[in-house]
Amino acid sequence: MLGNLEMKDTNWEEEFDSVHISKQDLNKIVMNYLLVEGYKSAAEKFNQEAGMATSPDDPHNMSGLSGYSLIEERRSIRILIQEGKIV
């Protein structure tokens, strides 16, 4: 519904205040960020401290998050792209 919709600052704040995000969803968002950006140790620590039910590498993980094992692959690919070796 965003298309050509223009929202004034006050409307945005009202909309923001009316949205409820569960702690579980917020934890998934934070974990996804840590994994995508390659912060493996931070993701492992966050998973432990947040008491998330499963880790991203657990085969029963239903969160849709990529596992810790993919972090190094993503990091390697990112470096190759930045060095111009992958276009």
Side-chain angles (χ1 to χ4, degrees):
M1 214 177 189
L2 293 176
N4 292 329
L5 181 65
E6 184 177 326
M7 190 176 286
K8 297 183 189 239
D9 290 341
T10 55
N11 291 344
W12 183 88
E13 290 173 7
E14 290 171 9
E15 288 290 322
F16 182 77
D17 288 340
S18 69
V19 175
H20 174 72
I21 300 174
S22 71
K23 185 175 182 178
Q24 181 181 10
D25 287 341
L26 187 57
N27 285 347
K28 286 180 184 179
I29 292 168
V30 171
M31 178 62 84
N32 186 57
Y33 171 80
L34 294 172
L35 291 172
V36 168
E37 294 301 319
Y39 299 112
K40 182 179 179 183
S41 62
E44 291 171 331
K45 183 92 169 158
F46 180 77
N47 186 60
Q48 181 182 18
E49 289 182 6
M52 297 179 80
T54 60
S55 81
D57 279 335
D58 187 329
H60 298 91
N61 176 16
M62 301 301 285
S63 69
L65 298 174
S66 299
Y68 300 128
S69 57
L70 296 178
I71 290 176
E72 289 302 320
E73 290 179 40
R74 287 181 178 187
R75 186 177 292 152
S76 297
I77 292 169
R78 183 182 297 161
I79 289 169
L80 291 171
I81 291 170
Q82 290 171 341
E83 292 175 347
K85 296 178 181 174
I86 295 179
V87 182

XYZ file of all heavy atoms in Angstrom:
692
model
N 0.815 -1.195 0.000
C 0.000 0.000 0.000
C 0.855 1.253 0.000
O 0.356 2.341 0.131
C -0.896 -0.040 1.229
C -2.218 0.580 0.998
S -3.287 0.455 2.428
C -4.717 1.023 1.608
N 2.148 1.091 -0.168
C 3.027 2.253 -0.127
C 3.027 3.002 -1.450
O 3.003 4.216 -1.451
C 4.446 1.831 0.245
C 4.606 1.297 1.658
C 6.020 0.821 1.872
C 4.234 2.335 2.679
N 3.102 2.321 -2.593
C 3.061 2.923 -3.922
C 3.292 4.411 -3.963
O 4.383 4.896 -3.734
N 2.254 5.165 -4.260
C 2.335 6.623 -4.350
C 1.869 7.297 -3.072
O 1.639 8.497 -3.053
C 1.496 7.125 -5.533
C 2.100 6.704 -6.854
O 3.317 6.582 -6.963
N 1.261 6.470 -7.839
N 1.717 6.531 -2.031
C 1.245 7.063 -0.767
C 2.299 7.954 -0.136
O 3.447 7.573 0.022
C 0.915 5.907 0.192
C 0.392 6.276 1.558
C -0.969 6.959 1.448
C 0.280 5.035 2.413
N 1.904 9.148 0.198
C 2.812 10.061 0.887
C 2.378 10.133 2.334
O 1.214 10.355 2.639
C 2.756 11.452 0.257
C 3.744 12.407 0.867
C 3.731 13.763 0.172
O 3.520 13.800 -1.040
O 3.916 14.765 0.870
N 3.324 9.926 3.233
C 2.990 9.910 4.644
C 3.734 11.034 5.347
O 4.941 11.141 5.226
C 3.363 8.558 5.249
C 2.842 8.359 6.636
S 3.203 6.718 7.297
C 2.049 5.726 6.386
N 3.012 11.845 6.046
C 3.635 12.924 6.804
C 4.268 12.356 8.058
O 3.925 11.286 8.515
C 2.589 13.979 7.152
C 2.000 14.622 5.930
C 1.031 15.699 6.316
C 0.321 16.162 5.080
N 0.400 17.480 4.719
N 5.223 13.082 8.610
C 5.946 12.620 9.795
C 5.005 12.230 10.931
O 5.193 11.212 11.578
C 6.928 13.687 10.278
C 8.102 13.856 9.324
O 8.347 12.932 8.522
O 8.764 14.898 9.402
N 3.997 13.032 11.179
C 3.095 12.735 12.288
C 2.323 11.452 12.021
O 2.107 10.662 12.935
C 2.117 13.897 12.541
O 1.433 14.194 11.329
C 2.845 15.115 13.051
N 1.900 11.222 10.767
C 1.192 9.985 10.438
C 2.111 8.780 10.631
O 1.675 7.732 11.107
C 0.671 10.003 9.005
C -0.449 10.996 8.811
O -1.044 11.475 9.762
N -0.720 11.316 7.559
N 3.351 8.910 10.225
C 4.299 7.809 10.362
C 4.469 7.444 11.824
O 4.468 6.275 12.176
C 5.650 8.198 9.749
C 6.632 7.082 9.794
C 6.792 6.107 8.857
C 7.581 6.819 10.832
N 7.785 5.241 9.245
C 8.289 5.648 10.459
C 7.913 7.431 12.031
C 9.294 5.107 11.237
C 8.914 6.880 12.807
C 9.595 5.737 12.404
N 4.608 8.438 12.678
C 4.773 8.183 14.106
C 3.554 7.496 14.687
O 3.671 6.579 15.505
C 5.068 9.482 14.852
C 6.442 10.047 14.550
C 6.678 11.417 15.156
O 5.828 11.889 15.935
O 7.718 12.006 14.845
N 2.367 7.910 14.271
C 1.139 7.273 14.746
C 1.085 5.821 14.297
O 0.735 4.935 15.072
C -0.087 8.031 14.241
C -0.270 9.386 14.892
C -1.355 10.211 14.229
O -2.092 9.663 13.363
O -1.467 11.396 14.559
N 1.411 5.578 13.032
C 1.427 4.211 12.514
C 2.457 3.365 13.262
O 2.196 2.219 13.602
C 1.737 4.194 11.016
C 0.622 4.698 10.147
C -0.561 3.747 10.121
O -0.355 2.514 10.115
O -1.697 4.246 10.107
N 3.614 3.916 13.490
C 4.682 3.200 14.188
C 4.244 2.810 15.593
O 4.494 1.697 16.044
C 5.952 4.056 14.236
C 7.109 3.375 14.895
C 7.833 2.402 14.219
C 7.476 3.699 16.189
C 8.903 1.767 14.823
C 8.545 3.074 16.804
C 9.263 2.095 16.115
N 3.604 3.735 16.274
C 3.149 3.472 17.641
C 2.077 2.388 17.695
O 1.932 1.702 18.704
C 2.614 4.750 18.293
C 3.728 5.726 18.642
O 4.896 5.287 18.745
O 3.432 6.925 18.810
N 1.343 2.199 16.605
C 0.256 1.221 16.606
C 0.731 -0.190 16.245
O -0.027 -1.140 16.371
C -0.851 1.654 15.641
O -0.390 1.554 14.306
N 1.973 -0.341 15.818
C 2.492 -1.654 15.425
C 3.134 -2.332 16.624
O 3.942 -1.735 17.325
C 3.536 -1.505 14.290
C 4.171 -2.847 13.964
C 2.891 -0.901 13.061
N 2.755 -3.582 16.840
C 3.368 -4.357 17.923
C 4.257 -5.433 17.305
O 3.827 -6.179 16.441
C 2.315 -5.017 18.800
C 2.915 -5.935 19.818
N 3.601 -5.463 20.914
C 2.988 -7.279 19.890
C 4.044 -6.489 21.622
N 3.688 -7.609 21.011
N 5.508 -5.478 17.732
C 6.443 -6.497 17.271
C 6.776 -7.368 18.479
O 7.227 -6.863 19.509
C 7.722 -5.871 16.701
C 7.391 -4.981 15.518
C 8.719 -6.947 16.293
C 8.562 -4.197 14.973
N 6.549 -8.666 18.328
C 6.825 -9.569 19.443
C 8.324 -9.673 19.669
O 9.133 -9.445 18.764
C 6.246 -10.959 19.163
O 7.000 -11.611 18.153
N 8.693 -10.057 20.879
C 10.104 -10.215 21.208
C 10.725 -11.301 20.337
O 11.857 -11.175 19.876
C 10.264 -10.555 22.686
C 11.708 -10.630 23.133
C 11.836 -10.840 24.620
C 13.289 -10.859 25.015
N 13.473 -11.022 26.440
N 9.980 -12.353 20.071
C 10.467 -13.443 19.224
C 10.768 -12.940 17.805
O 11.809 -13.262 17.236
C 9.435 -14.567 19.177
C 9.879 -15.748 18.337
C 8.818 -16.840 18.282
O 7.683 -16.654 18.715
N 9.187 -17.973 17.740
N 9.861 -12.144 17.247
C 10.087 -11.595 15.909
C 11.277 -10.641 15.893
O 12.081 -10.650 14.962
C 8.841 -10.885 15.385
C 7.738 -11.853 14.993
O 8.035 -13.052 14.782
O 6.575 -11.405 14.906
N 11.386 -9.823 16.920
C 12.507 -8.895 17.010
C 13.823 -9.660 17.114
O 14.812 -9.309 16.460
C 12.330 -7.951 18.203
C 13.339 -6.821 18.323
C 13.348 -5.962 17.077
C 13.025 -5.979 19.538
N 13.833 -10.734 17.900
C 15.036 -11.558 18.009
C 15.413 -12.161 16.657
O 16.592 -12.232 16.305
C 14.838 -12.668 19.044
C 14.889 -12.157 20.464
O 15.306 -11.040 20.719
N 14.443 -12.982 21.391
N 14.423 -12.596 15.884
C 14.697 -13.158 14.551
C 15.290 -12.092 13.629
O 16.189 -12.376 12.841
C 13.421 -13.718 13.935
C 12.964 -15.013 14.552
C 11.692 -15.489 13.873
C 11.150 -16.733 14.522
N 9.897 -17.174 13.883
N 14.789 -10.868 13.727
C 15.300 -9.778 12.899
C 16.755 -9.488 13.255
O 17.612 -9.354 12.379
C 14.432 -8.506 13.061
C 13.054 -8.739 12.451
C 15.117 -7.293 12.432
C 12.036 -7.670 12.799
N 17.047 -9.420 14.547
C 18.415 -9.157 15.000
C 19.334 -10.292 14.557
O 20.426 -10.065 14.032
C 18.470 -8.957 16.531
C 19.913 -8.916 17.020
C 17.732 -7.683 16.920
N 18.886 -11.541 14.750
C 19.698 -12.694 14.359
C 19.950 -12.688 12.855
O 21.077 -12.938 12.404
C 19.009 -13.996 14.781
C 19.764 -15.241 14.363
S 21.407 -15.395 15.100
C 20.969 -16.114 16.652
N 18.938 -12.401 12.078
C 19.099 -12.341 10.631
C 20.143 -11.299 10.244
O 21.015 -11.549 9.404
C 17.766 -12.049 9.949
C 17.870 -12.135 8.453
O 18.258 -13.161 7.909
N 17.533 -11.044 7.785
N 20.084 -10.130 10.854
C 21.067 -9.079 10.582
C 22.485 -9.566 10.893
O 23.397 -9.402 10.087
C 20.759 -7.818 11.391
C 21.857 -6.802 11.299
C 21.962 -5.975 10.183
C 22.825 -6.686 12.293
C 22.996 -5.057 10.078
C 23.848 -5.774 12.193
C 23.935 -4.959 11.084
O 24.964 -4.056 10.979
N 22.656 -10.165 12.067
C 23.989 -10.628 12.463
C 24.516 -11.683 11.493
O 25.696 -11.658 11.122
C 23.951 -11.181 13.893
C 23.646 -10.167 14.985
C 23.441 -10.866 16.325
C 24.728 -9.110 15.086
N 23.655 -12.591 11.060
C 24.080 -13.629 10.136
C 24.402 -13.070 8.754
O 25.435 -13.394 8.167
C 23.005 -14.710 10.016
C 22.793 -15.571 11.260
C 21.574 -16.457 11.084
C 24.024 -16.400 11.568
N 23.531 -12.225 8.242
C 23.737 -11.662 6.902
C 24.988 -10.805 6.851
O 25.736 -10.833 5.871
C 22.492 -10.861 6.452
C 22.778 -10.036 5.215
C 21.323 -11.806 6.200
N 25.255 -10.057 7.913
C 26.418 -9.175 7.930
C 27.702 -9.889 8.325
O 28.778 -9.299 8.300
C 26.162 -7.979 8.853
C 25.063 -7.056 8.362
C 25.355 -6.479 6.980
O 26.509 -6.097 6.707
O 24.416 -6.407 6.170
N 27.600 -11.162 8.699
C 28.791 -11.953 8.957
C 29.337 -11.905 10.365
O 30.493 -12.237 10.596
N 28.518 -11.535 11.328
C 28.962 -11.463 12.717
C 28.696 -12.794 13.421
O 27.784 -12.924 14.240
C 28.256 -10.316 13.442
C 28.527 -8.968 12.846
C 27.520 -8.251 12.200
C 29.791 -8.401 12.926
C 27.771 -7.003 11.654
C 30.050 -7.147 12.387
C 29.032 -6.457 11.751
O 29.282 -5.237 11.217
N 29.500 -13.796 13.095
C 29.257 -15.148 13.582
C 29.296 -15.238 15.103
O 28.375 -15.776 15.725
C 30.272 -16.118 12.983
C 30.060 -17.545 13.411
C 31.068 -18.475 12.788
C 30.855 -19.901 13.264
N 31.851 -20.815 12.739
N 30.354 -14.742 15.714
C 30.460 -14.865 17.170
C 29.350 -14.084 17.867
O 28.795 -14.550 18.877
C 31.835 -14.431 17.671
O 32.083 -13.081 17.377
N 28.989 -12.935 17.337
C 27.897 -12.153 17.922
C 26.572 -12.903 17.762
O 25.743 -12.907 18.680
C 27.806 -10.784 17.276
N 26.369 -13.551 16.614
C 25.138 -14.311 16.381
C 25.051 -15.496 17.337
O 23.986 -15.776 17.899
C 25.074 -14.791 14.933
N 26.166 -16.180 17.537
C 26.177 -17.310 18.461
C 25.871 -16.849 19.888
O 25.068 -17.459 20.595
C 27.527 -18.020 18.408
C 27.765 -18.751 17.109
C 29.179 -19.266 16.959
O 30.122 -18.653 17.517
O 29.341 -20.274 16.258
N 26.494 -15.760 20.296
C 26.281 -15.215 21.639
C 24.836 -14.734 21.802
O 24.192 -14.998 22.818
C 27.257 -14.062 21.879
C 27.200 -13.459 23.240
C 28.168 -14.122 24.156
C 28.276 -13.312 25.429
N 28.758 -14.079 26.517
N 24.326 -14.026 20.782
C 22.953 -13.533 20.835
C 21.967 -14.695 20.926
O 21.013 -14.652 21.702
C 22.637 -12.670 19.609
C 21.238 -12.141 19.605
C 20.888 -11.077 20.416
C 20.261 -12.718 18.815
C 19.593 -10.587 20.439
C 18.965 -12.251 18.830
C 18.631 -11.181 19.640
N 22.201 -15.741 20.138
C 21.330 -16.912 20.161
C 21.269 -17.503 21.569
O 20.205 -17.853 22.062
C 21.823 -17.955 19.163
C 20.880 -19.122 19.054
O 19.728 -18.967 18.700
N 21.371 -20.302 19.367
N 22.412 -17.576 22.202
C 22.497 -18.134 23.555
C 21.801 -17.221 24.566
O 20.988 -17.673 25.369
C 23.961 -18.332 23.931
C 24.173 -18.925 25.300
C 25.659 -19.042 25.631
O 26.494 -18.394 25.011
N 25.967 -19.849 26.609
N 22.106 -15.933 24.513
C 21.552 -14.994 25.496
C 20.061 -14.752 25.306
O 19.343 -14.536 26.279
C 22.312 -13.678 25.442
C 23.720 -13.780 25.986
C 24.462 -12.454 25.988
O 23.854 -11.410 25.670
O 25.658 -12.479 26.316
N 19.606 -14.786 24.048
C 18.189 -14.551 23.783
C 17.355 -15.796 24.064
O 16.126 -15.726 24.081
C 17.991 -14.103 22.333
N 18.030 -16.928 24.272
C 17.312 -18.157 24.573
C 16.449 -18.613 23.414
O 15.355 -19.138 23.611
N 16.956 -18.403 22.203
C 16.189 -18.806 21.027
C 16.085 -20.330 21.008
O 17.013 -21.033 21.380
C 16.835 -18.262 19.760
C 16.840 -16.730 19.758
S 17.606 -16.010 18.325
C 16.281 -16.159 17.144
N 14.948 -20.829 20.574
C 14.644 -22.256 20.659
C 15.634 -23.122 19.890
O 16.023 -24.178 20.355
C 13.229 -22.512 20.155
N 16.015 -22.698 18.704
C 16.960 -23.473 17.900
C 18.017 -22.553 17.344
O 17.802 -21.358 17.188
C 16.263 -24.173 16.715
O 15.657 -23.180 15.889
C 15.229 -25.161 17.167
N 19.147 -23.127 17.027
C 20.193 -22.331 16.392
C 19.974 -22.376 14.885
O 19.313 -23.280 14.379
C 21.578 -22.866 16.743
O 21.894 -23.967 15.926
N 20.528 -21.429 14.140
C 20.373 -21.415 12.692
C 20.933 -22.660 12.011
O 20.522 -22.994 10.914
C 21.135 -20.166 12.260
C 21.105 -19.291 13.446
C 21.187 -20.235 14.625
N 21.860 -23.379 12.636
C 22.422 -24.590 12.040
C 21.638 -25.846 12.402
O 21.903 -26.909 11.874
C 23.883 -24.771 12.467
C 24.826 -23.918 11.640
O 24.461 -23.574 10.497
O 25.913 -23.599 12.124
N 20.672 -25.744 13.304
C 19.874 -26.891 13.708
C 19.012 -27.343 12.528
O 18.300 -26.544 11.937
C 18.983 -26.494 14.885
C 18.226 -27.655 15.492
O 17.888 -28.605 14.761
O 17.972 -27.605 16.699
N 19.052 -28.637 12.163
C 18.252 -29.108 11.023
C 16.750 -28.956 11.249
O 15.981 -28.948 10.302
C 18.634 -30.586 10.892
C 19.391 -30.950 12.100
C 19.866 -29.682 12.754
N 16.320 -28.784 12.497
C 14.903 -28.595 12.796
C 14.519 -27.117 12.868
O 13.404 -26.784 13.234
C 14.550 -29.291 14.113
C 14.769 -30.767 14.057
N 15.968 -31.342 14.418
C 13.977 -31.771 13.649
C 15.885 -32.647 14.256
N 14.688 -32.936 13.779
N 15.456 -26.255 12.526
C 15.227 -24.814 12.570
C 14.173 -24.435 11.530
O 14.348 -24.667 10.348
C 16.540 -24.076 12.294
C 16.366 -22.582 12.231
O 15.361 -22.043 12.672
N 17.341 -21.900 11.685
N 13.101 -23.845 11.989
C 12.016 -23.450 11.083
C 11.945 -21.932 10.923
O 10.993 -21.410 10.380
C 10.670 -23.963 11.623
C 10.609 -25.482 11.784
S 10.892 -26.366 10.244
C 9.336 -26.085 9.438
N 12.968 -21.226 11.360
C 12.925 -19.766 11.328
C 13.231 -19.204 9.950
O 13.015 -18.033 9.687
C 13.923 -19.181 12.330
O 15.244 -19.430 11.907
N 13.785 -20.013 9.063
C 14.145 -19.531 7.738
C 15.468 -18.804 7.705
O 15.840 -18.215 6.701
N 16.214 -18.829 8.798
C 17.497 -18.143 8.857
C 18.606 -19.041 8.328
O 18.607 -20.241 8.549
C 17.823 -17.745 10.301
C 16.850 -16.784 10.965
C 17.210 -16.605 12.422
C 16.829 -15.456 10.253
N 19.549 -18.455 7.633
C 20.714 -19.196 7.172
C 21.585 -19.528 8.364
O 21.628 -18.797 9.343
C 21.527 -18.353 6.194
O 20.744 -18.025 5.078
N 22.315 -20.613 8.271
C 23.132 -21.059 9.381
C 24.450 -20.341 9.511
O 24.882 -19.603 8.628
N 25.102 -20.605 10.643
C 26.412 -20.031 10.918
C 27.406 -20.471 9.844
O 28.317 -19.744 9.492
C 26.939 -20.495 12.273
C 26.086 -20.133 13.461
C 25.696 -21.106 14.359
C 25.704 -18.826 13.701
C 24.937 -20.790 15.473
C 24.947 -18.502 14.805
C 24.559 -19.493 15.689
O 23.815 -19.176 16.781
N 27.225 -21.687 9.341
C 28.175 -22.248 8.388
C 28.248 -21.452 7.084
O 29.253 -21.505 6.383
C 27.832 -23.703 8.088
O 26.511 -23.801 7.596
N 27.211 -20.716 6.763
C 27.208 -19.937 5.525
C 27.899 -18.590 5.664
O 28.186 -17.929 4.670
C 25.774 -19.718 5.036
C 25.013 -20.976 4.635
C 23.598 -20.619 4.217
C 25.719 -21.708 3.527
N 28.183 -18.178 6.889
C 28.781 -16.859 7.118
C 30.127 -16.744 6.418
O 30.391 -15.753 5.736
C 28.907 -16.554 8.621
C 27.512 -16.330 9.207
C 29.787 -15.333 8.866
C 27.505 -16.111 10.707
N 30.987 -17.727 6.568
C 32.315 -17.663 5.947
C 32.212 -17.649 4.430
O 32.957 -16.927 3.759
C 33.190 -18.827 6.420
C 33.633 -18.700 7.860
C 34.403 -17.408 8.133
O 35.229 -16.983 7.307
O 34.161 -16.807 9.198
N 31.279 -18.428 3.872
C 31.092 -18.424 2.421
C 30.650 -17.045 1.944
O 31.160 -16.531 0.954
C 30.051 -19.465 2.018
C 30.531 -20.892 2.185
C 29.463 -21.893 1.806
O 28.752 -21.665 0.814
O 29.360 -22.910 2.511
N 29.697 -16.452 2.635
C 29.221 -15.117 2.265
C 30.341 -14.086 2.367
O 30.480 -13.215 1.516
C 28.070 -14.689 3.162
C 26.797 -15.397 2.885
C 25.722 -14.886 3.791
N 24.466 -15.547 3.491
C 23.319 -15.211 4.029
N 23.270 -14.231 4.898
N 22.230 -15.848 3.719
N 31.134 -14.197 3.428
C 32.235 -13.260 3.630
C 33.248 -13.379 2.490
O 33.709 -12.379 1.945
C 32.905 -13.509 4.979
C 33.974 -12.474 5.305
C 34.585 -12.691 6.665
N 33.580 -12.413 7.680
C 33.562 -12.974 8.882
N 34.470 -13.845 9.225
N 32.626 -12.664 9.751
N 33.573 -14.603 2.107
C 34.528 -14.827 1.014
C 34.004 -14.257 -0.299
O 34.740 -13.607 -1.049
C 34.800 -16.321 0.844
O 35.399 -16.850 1.993
N 32.723 -14.483 -0.568
C 32.119 -13.960 -1.795
C 32.118 -12.440 -1.777
O 32.440 -11.793 -2.781
C 30.696 -14.522 -1.980
C 30.774 -16.017 -2.274
C 29.957 -13.782 -3.087
C 29.443 -16.739 -2.213
N 31.780 -11.845 -0.641
C 31.762 -10.382 -0.534
C 33.145 -9.797 -0.816
O 33.279 -8.801 -1.528
C 31.288 -9.957 0.851
C 31.191 -8.431 0.989
C 30.770 -8.005 2.363
N 29.436 -8.507 2.647
C 28.926 -8.612 3.869
N 29.639 -8.264 4.912
N 27.716 -9.056 4.056
N 34.189 -10.415 -0.264
C 35.558 -9.935 -0.486
C 35.926 -10.030 -1.961
O 36.507 -9.091 -2.530
C 36.557 -10.725 0.398
C 36.367 -10.333 1.865
C 37.997 -10.478 -0.049
C 37.100 -11.225 2.853
N 35.576 -11.141 -2.602
C 35.878 -11.310 -4.023
C 35.158 -10.251 -4.873
O 35.735 -9.721 -5.821
C 35.499 -12.718 -4.493
C 36.365 -13.850 -3.944
C 35.761 -15.203 -4.305
C 37.794 -13.732 -4.449
N 33.936 -9.949 -4.527
C 33.189 -8.905 -5.250
C 33.842 -7.546 -5.045
O 34.056 -6.789 -5.997
C 31.711 -8.868 -4.795
C 30.991 -10.137 -5.283
C 31.014 -7.616 -5.319
C 29.613 -10.317 -4.707
N 34.220 -7.242 -3.808
C 34.848 -5.957 -3.508
C 36.191 -5.812 -4.199
O 36.598 -4.701 -4.560
C 34.994 -5.775 -1.992
C 33.669 -5.560 -1.299
C 33.776 -5.587 0.216
O 34.735 -6.096 0.786
N 32.751 -5.046 0.878
N 36.892 -6.921 -4.386
C 38.179 -6.898 -5.073
C 38.022 -6.915 -6.595
O 39.010 -6.851 -7.321
C 39.039 -8.087 -4.625
C 39.487 -7.980 -3.188
C 40.235 -9.230 -2.711
O 40.200 -10.273 -3.407
O 40.840 -9.163 -1.622
N 36.781 -7.010 -7.079
C 36.530 -7.008 -8.516
C 36.794 -8.353 -9.182
O 36.863 -8.436 -10.403
N 36.945 -9.401 -8.409
C 37.209 -10.726 -8.969
C 35.926 -11.447 -9.367
O 35.981 -12.421 -10.096
C 38.019 -11.564 -7.969
C 39.391 -10.972 -7.709
C 40.157 -11.778 -6.699
C 41.532 -11.125 -6.468
N 42.264 -11.789 -5.392
N 34.811 -10.992 -8.862
C 33.489 -11.483 -9.257
C 32.686 -10.266 -9.663
O 32.607 -9.281 -8.946
C 32.772 -12.211 -8.106
C 33.515 -13.470 -7.710
C 31.339 -12.547 -8.510
C 32.868 -14.221 -6.563
N 32.100 -10.365 -10.847
C 31.330 -9.238 -11.355
C 29.862 -9.595 -11.349
O 29.424 -10.639 -11.558
C 31.761 -8.850 -12.781
C 30.979 -7.658 -13.272
C 33.229 -8.578 -12.796
